[in-house]
Amino acid sequence: MCTQSAPDADVDGTAAAPGRRPWEERLLDGGREPDPRFTLANERTFLAWIRTSLALLAGGVAVEAFAGEMFPPTVRFTLGALLLVVGALLALGAGVRWLRVERAMRNARPLPLPLVVPVLAGAVVVGTVVLLAATIARMG
Amino acid sequence: MPPRLPGIPLPRPAAPGGHADPGLQPERTVLSWDRTVLALHVTALMFVRWYSEVGVWAFAPAALAALVGAVIMLGQRRRYGRQSSGITVKRVRPAWRTVAGMVAFVVALSCLGLTAMAALLASGAPL
């Protein structure tokens, strides 16, 4: 909603939703409720990130469990642990991003850049390089 | 007016809880939660892989996921209703409780996996 003027929770009486506690107001950084469709879109984006994170967790357990003789145990173990850690970081990042987008929308600020994307891209690159190196070392 | 056939109901006006959003946002959001619950169950069931090491405890994540999934699924109707009427009145309160709970659960699942792997490593069992 670019047309919203910068609201002031103290001056603008409509900003606070009825029955919202002060700390809840602080968590959401005041402002006013954006277009509900944007709130829902933000929720869906968060859920998409959570599913990505869950896929990484499932992948971490699977690599550790089912990779069999394909990779040496150390590689399997490292890769599994890495995927689990990145999955947890991604879930945390998704939550933080949801909150930052929500706060930006409520105050008609520009939306924050998705900092989670470089984290995920970096992790996938590291994982692939590790796997590739291990496979080549095994073959050589 | 055509003759009313017995057994065929007359068209009814839209339900009072209905919304006028052609983007079908509430439906898409509720379906998104559905997919997340499915992913949750798949991930939690992967932990059964440690059954031979820890016995029935390997089902703990699955049981936890069943609980969390049940809470989410039982709230779906209410969620849809709230979002649908929220679009009509142009105000939807952000569901920060559910979001925070979801993050906590996924992080807990990851910690469980890491703990299991660490315990396996410490026990000296063949990897």
Side-chain angles (χ1 to χ4, degrees):
Chain A
M1 257 327 213
C2 304
T3 52
Q4 284 179 344
S5 58
D8 188 332
D10 296 320
V11 177
D12 189 344
T14 62
R20 179 167 287 161
R21 292 174 192 86
W23 63 270
E24 203 174 353
E25 199 62 48
R26 246 195 333 274
L27 176 78
L28 295 168
D29 199 16
R32 63 173 80 194
E33 311 276 9
D35 187 322
R37 290 171 299 170
F38 300 158
T39 306
L40 296 188
N42 190 23
E43 194 171 317
R44 290 198 300 276
T45 310
F46 163 76
L47 288 173
W49 277 113
I50 280 289
R51 286 194 299 276
T52 310
S53 146
L54 282 171
L56 286 181
L57 290 197
V61 178
V63 154
E64 215 277 310
F66 307 125
E69 299 303 306
M70 179 67 193
F71 305 115
T74 348
V75 173
R76 256 189 313 146
F77 203 82
T78 314
L79 198 65
L82 186 74
L83 282 168
L84 284 174
V85 169
V86 173
L89 287 180
L90 208 56
L92 284 172
V96 169
R97 177 157 173 76
W98 176 85
L99 189 61
R100 289 179 70 199
V101 169
E102 203 65 36
R103 287 175 154 199
M105 287 197 305
R106 297 176 68 83
N107 293 288
R109 287 195 299 258
L111 297 186
L113 283 172
L115 295 175
V116 204
V117 172
V119 172
L120 181 61
V124 170
V125 167
V126 168
T128 313
V129 167
V130 166
L131 262 189
L132 207 64
T135 314
I136 289 171
R138 219 174 143 74
M139 276 163 34
Chain B
M1 194 172 154
R4 177 154 154 45
L5 298 170
I8 295 181
L10 291 167
R12 281 180 292 177
H19 63 84
D21 175 30
L24 301 177
Q25 302 267 351
E27 188 169 341
R28 277 156 59 199
T29 309
V30 163
L31 279 171
S32 197
W33 277 105
D34 275 355
R35 287 198 299 277
T36 308
V37 169
L38 278 176
L40 201 68
H41 284 130
V42 171
T43 309
L45 280 171
M46 296 296 282
F47 283 75
V48 177
R49 154 257 183 288
W50 280 298
Y51 181 74
S52 57
E53 280 91 3
V54 295
V56 283
W57 284 107
F59 286 94
L64 215 59
L67 204 70
V68 171
V71 169
I72 293 173
M73 295 309 281
L74 287 174
Q76 287 286 61
R77 237 182 111 80
R78 203 165 46 96
R79 187 169 292 120
Y80 184 92
R82 244 206 331 254
Q83 295 176 349
S84 180
S85 58
I87 283 178
T88 310
V89 302
K90 298 201 185 322
R91 168 169 285 181
V92 170
R93 293 177 70 165
W96 63 269
R97 277 188 196 83
T98 338
V99 166
M102 203 66 206
V103 170
F105 183 71
V106 174
V107 171
L109 216 55
S110 167
C111 288
L112 261 176
L114 287 170
T115 310
M117 283 170 70
L120 207 69
L121 203 65
S123 74
L127 291 173

